[in-house]
Amino acid sequence: MKTLVYLGPRRLEIREADIPVPAPGEAVLKVEAVGICGSELEGYLGHSAVRTPPLVMGHEFCGVIESLAPDVEGWNIGDKVVVNPLIACGTCDRCRQGRENICRSRRIVGIHRPGAFADYVAVPAANMIRVPADFDAAAASLAEPLAVCVHALRIGFRPLEDLVIFGAGPIGLLTLQAAQAMGAGRVLVVERQPARLQFARQLGAETASPAEAEEAARRLFGARGVDTIVDCVGVEATRAQSIALVNPGGVIVEVGLGADYSNLPMNHVVRQEISLIGSYTYSSAEFGQAVDLLLGGKVTRERWSAGCGLEEAGDVFERLVNGTADYGKYIIHP
């Protein structure tokens, strides 16, 4: 089978490998669609400490069951599935609290074991969710990033509230659609790239550049202001502007991992009782909710995503990191 192997900063190579054999409790999938994640772009640049080359990345995927370990029950060859790539231990104190996203020994497909940038991938059968055979595999592959957004919103957002989202990349656009499905009022998306702002407008958001954000917030929200902001970028500028925009007592949910350190006005945060909350991945229940949103037609990939083949993916990675790609989200079809 063909695999796309990360060999180091800005180095991806197509290599042949054996089709995996399922270990106990596992299935092997024929990959139909696998998304390129922003975290994988960081890995491609050599900025991800958890991605050690040589590595087959790819953790947002949909496929068809090719083979099953003898001990796996309830599944059939040919079933179409999406996979929660987060493998939790199930026994640590975090897992026992239902917070498997911060399991003390979590592992992730495409980081700690070979991922889906390949013709075939082995996965724990317990992490699979069945989807209809005729459901669009590319749409189904959005379950993982959409689950990230569902988790972020459940942390700090209440239905019918207004909302500000920083960033109109894939996570920002999925957060927008998830918020709309959860009954959001007015949503302002702040983004510096005009093409991405256009995608957000097509999905029904109000939009502004960072320079326009404060005026846009005053115009949209008036004296009520905004109680919740989701920062899908995660750099000093978006973190600081979120602190400036949010109401006293408001919540800023930090999803983006753009910068490790930021110099922020923490005295203002203290005096205004602003909550800064980190949001990482999702629970298994939230992953299931993301699948339900996709199957229910609540989320679309139309107009803001595109597909490519496995052999084209290296060039797509380079265009994405250089800012020359036509779309923010690319989904590989091996």
Side-chain angles (χ1 to χ4, degrees), residues 87-258:
I87 305 168
C89 74
T91 59
C92 73
D93 59 331
R94 302 298 96 176
C95 286
R96 292 198 303 272
Q97 293 175 10
R99 305 181 70 187
E100 59 264 43
N101 62 311
I102 49 174
C103 168
R104 294 186 185 276
S105 57
R106 64 180 178 256
R107 295 171 58 81
I108 298 175
V109 176
I111 296 178
H112 304 103
R113 55 184 285 166
F117 288 170
D119 290 329
Y120 297 89
V121 62
V123 301
N127 287 49
M128 300 189 305
I129 295 179
R130 187 179 282 106
V131 296
D134 60 353
F135 192 73
D136 177 34
S141 73
L142 295 177
E144 197 279 340
L146 180 59
V148 170
C149 306
V150 170
H151 179 66
L153 289 166
R154 289 189 65 188
I155 285 175
F157 174 71
R158 292 187 293 272
L160 306 181
E161 279 189 346
D162 296 331
L163 180 68
V164 173
I165 298 169
F166 276 87
I171 295 296
L173 296 177
L174 288 171
T175 299
L176 166 62
Q177 295 183 78
Q180 290 168 331
M182 294 167 68
R186 291 163 295 185
V187 182
L188 172 64
V189 174
V190 182
E191 167 63 55
R192 60 184 178 84
Q193 294 188 29
R196 291 186 171 190
L197 286 175
Q198 178 63 21
F199 294 145
R201 283 193 292 272
Q202 290 172 339
L203 290 169
E206 299 287 341
T207 63
S209 69
E212 302 164 337
E214 293 185 25
E215 173 56 33
R218 283 193 294 269
R219 173 173 50 82
L220 284 174
F221 309 130
R224 289 172 52 187
V226 65
D227 288 324
T228 306
I229 294 177
V230 180
D231 179 9
C232 300
V233 182
V235 296
E236 183 171 313
T238 58
R239 291 164 178 163
Q241 194 164 32
S242 296
I243 290 170
L245 284 178
V246 77
N247 279 339
V251 175
I252 300 169
V253 182
E254 291 290 346
V255 180
L257 293 167

Side-chain angles (χ1 to χ4, degrees), residues 41-104:
L41 298 179
E42 293 298 306
Y44 173 68
L45 292 172
H47 298 164
S48 174
V50 297
R51 288 176 171 85
T52 303
L55 174 67
V56 177
M57 299 189 288
H59 60 271
E60 308 174 355
F61 58 98
C62 173
V64 172
I65 297 176
E66 179 78 10
S67 61
L68 293 162
D71 63 336
V72 174
E73 299 179 348
W75 297 97
N76 298 303
I77 304 301
D79 285 348
K80 191 170 190 173
V81 300
V82 293
V83 177
N84 179 346
L86 194 153
I87 305 168
C89 74
T91 59
C92 73
D93 59 331
R94 302 298 96 176
C95 286
R96 292 198 303 272
Q97 293 175 10
R99 305 181 70 187
E100 59 264 43
N101 62 311
I102 49 174
C103 168
R104 294 186 185 276

